[in-house]
């Protein structure tokens, strides 16, 4: 069965520190993977996506993610977080021709001053 | 490009009343999705249209909920006889050609409050 797991419901990081948000997926085929972000009282916005090629993909606002087929993971990283990064982050799997997206439960990122 | 437009941003209804939510997808996008978001359930898929045709409504509650896409420029989600448990943020998204590697673009959502 296809699934996406974000094991951390909340992550607290100090401003300026590095960040990693974890995402594990389960899918036997070639996955299309996305990270979306939802800022307070706003809709969801795409941060980055992966579907082939270089396993490290760059996104907006300094975010990047690394796809690992062997670990079935697609972790999100940022070298130095800013207070404006406070939001909920969703890891999403699109299983090719399957027209439904599989959403992780989200990780709420809290930035400490 | 104004993005996906959802109206109204906030809607308050009394229990038993009807609520209609509107979505204008990005011009040229052939796929439209509706999701519901609550604190408890998180993000729930409701329904999906491609080229205005309903493809999958497996997430729609069987009673009281209906969605239509009468033309390529708008879709509606209608909830009849609203109940307090329908209170949620309803998100609409559009995509160029369905899923796969295509990106979903979301509207800001409609917050429905049923009193």
């Amino acid at each position: 069965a296809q699934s996406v797991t974000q094991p951390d419901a909340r992550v607290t990081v100090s401003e300026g520190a590095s960040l990693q948000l974890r995402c594990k997926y389960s899918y036997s085929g070639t996955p299309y993977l996305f990270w979306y972000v939802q800022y307070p009282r706003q809709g969801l916005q795409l941060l980055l996506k992966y579907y082939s090629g270089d396993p490290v993909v760059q996104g907006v606002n300094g975010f990047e993610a690394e796809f690992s087929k062997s670990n079935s993971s697609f972790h999100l990283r940022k070298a130095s977080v800013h207070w404006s990064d406070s939001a909920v982050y969703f890891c999403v799997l699109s299983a090719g021709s399957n027209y439904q997206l599989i959403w992780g439960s989200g990780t709420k990122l809290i930035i400490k001053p | 490009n104004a993005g996906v437009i959802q109206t109204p941003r906030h809607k308050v209804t009394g229990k038993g009343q009807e609520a209609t939510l509107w979505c204008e997808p990005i011009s040229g996008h052939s796929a439209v999705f509706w999701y519901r978001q609550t604190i408890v359930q998180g993000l729930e898929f409701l329904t999906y249209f491609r080229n205005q045709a309903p493809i999958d409504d497996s997430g729609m509650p069987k009673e009281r909920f209906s969605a239509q896409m009468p033309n390529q420029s708008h879709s509606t989600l209608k909830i009849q006889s609203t109940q307090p448990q329908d209170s949620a943020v309803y998100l609409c998204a559009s995509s160029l050609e369905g899923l796969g590697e295509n990106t979903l673009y979301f509207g800001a959502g409609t917050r429905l409050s049923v009193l």
Side-chain angles (χ1 to χ4, degrees), chain B residues 42-100:
Chain B
L43 204 62
E44 298 176 277
F45 167 81
L46 294 176
T47 189
Y48 161 45
F49 294 87
R50 185 165 60 209
N51 295 322
Q52 300 171 234
I55 302 299
D56 179 8
D57 65 355
S58 59
M60 293 276 276
K62 296 307 176 193
E63 297 177 358
R64 304 186 295 106
F65 282 65
S66 63
Q68 295 183 338
M69 191 163 184
N71 56 60
Q72 62 185 7
S73 64
H74 88 272
S75 174
T76 58
L77 179 68
K78 184 180 292 186
I79 309 171
Q80 295 177 313
S81 185
T82 54
Q83 302 297 310
Q85 61 265 30
D86 299 332
S87 297
V89 176
Y90 290 83
L91 294 168
C92 176
S94 72
S95 175
L96 198 55
E97 286 182 6
L99 293 176

Side-chain angles (χ1 to χ4, degrees), chain A residues 66-79:
Chain A
E66 183 167 6
F67 169 71
S68 171
K69 188 175 177 66
S70 60
N71 294 324
S72 298
S73 66
F74 189 56
H75 301 329
L76 181 70
R77 302 190 297 241
K78 187 171 183 178

Side-chain angles (χ1 to χ4, degrees), chain A residues 3-26:
Chain A
S3 67
V4 174
T5 301
Q6 292 181 248
D8 306 307
R10 293 165 66 101
V11 169
T12 302
V13 178
S14 297
E15 190 169 16
S18 63
L19 166 73
Q20 176 172 279
L21 302 182
R22 296 184 291 165
C23 172
K24 299 273 284 185
Y25 70 90
S26 174

Side-chain angles (χ1 to χ4, degrees), chain A residues 37-49:
Chain A
V37 60
Q38 187 172 34
Y39 297 104
R41 294 173 296 284
Q42 295 187 31
L44 289 142
Q45 303 170 34
L46 179 72
L47 267 184
L48 49 78
K49 61 182 179 181

Side-chain angles (χ1 to χ4, degrees), chain B residues 27-45:
Chain B
S27 177
H29 282 192
S30 62
V32 172
F33 302 79
W34 284 95
Y35 287 86
R36 176 169 64 181
Q37 187 175 32
T38 61
I39 298 293
V40 174
Q41 297 292 334
L43 204 62
E44 298 176 277
F45 167 81

